[in-house]
Amino acid sequence: MKKVEAIVRATKLDAVKAALNFVGVTGMTITEVKGCGHQKGHVEHYRGSEYVVNLLPKVKIEVVIKDQELSKITDAIIEAARTGEIGDGKIFVYDIADAIRVRTGEHGETVI
């Protein structure tokens, strides 16, 4: 099993959710986060004062999937989230040793 963690623009959340649903993802966790990467934030003006926004709002989408679904899932996220501009986001992939359904105590891929 793999855990796919995608950090994307908040404006792309609906498109990524739709793409994941289309390829068969039935469950996901979504968190509003702030961060920076190569984009390094931007300068804004408020009431005549200039200030730097270092941490930009993003959305983190987490899904746990079967190993064989990895390329299909990551391709769907990339296609839905890409704008071609700096700040489109990142995808991280982790190995999952086990998954347990709390209600029944089941283990393994059957719980995802």
Side-chain angles (χ1 to χ4, degrees), residues 1-4 20 23-27 62-74 93-99 101 107-112:
M1 292 178 289
K2 302 284 187 200
K3 177 180 180 183
V4 176
L20 289 172
V23 295
V25 173
T26 57
E62 299 170 275
V63 297
V64 177
I65 59 171
K66 297 176 183 175
D67 289 337
Q68 61 269 22
E69 298 174 334
L70 181 61
S71 63
K72 175 177 66 171
I73 300 301
T74 55
V93 180
Y94 306 93
D95 288 321
I96 299 294
D98 197 7
R101 180 172 285 132
H107 286 257
E109 286 186 355
T110 59
V111 304
I112 58 174

Side-chain angles (χ1 to χ4, degrees), residues 36-57:
C36 67
H38 291 298
Q39 197 173 9
K40 303 284 190 236
H42 61 274
V43 176
E44 289 192 6
H45 298 278
Y46 180 72
R47 294 189 178 192
S49 297
E50 184 177 281
Y51 64 98
V52 177
V53 179
N54 291 327
L55 299 176
L56 301 172

Side-chain angles (χ1 to χ4, degrees), residues 13-32:
L13 175 59
D14 289 336
V16 173
K17 282 187 347 186
L20 289 172
N21 285 328
F22 182 76
V23 295
V25 173
T26 57
M28 63 187 79
T29 301
I30 299 169
T31 311
E32 292 179 2

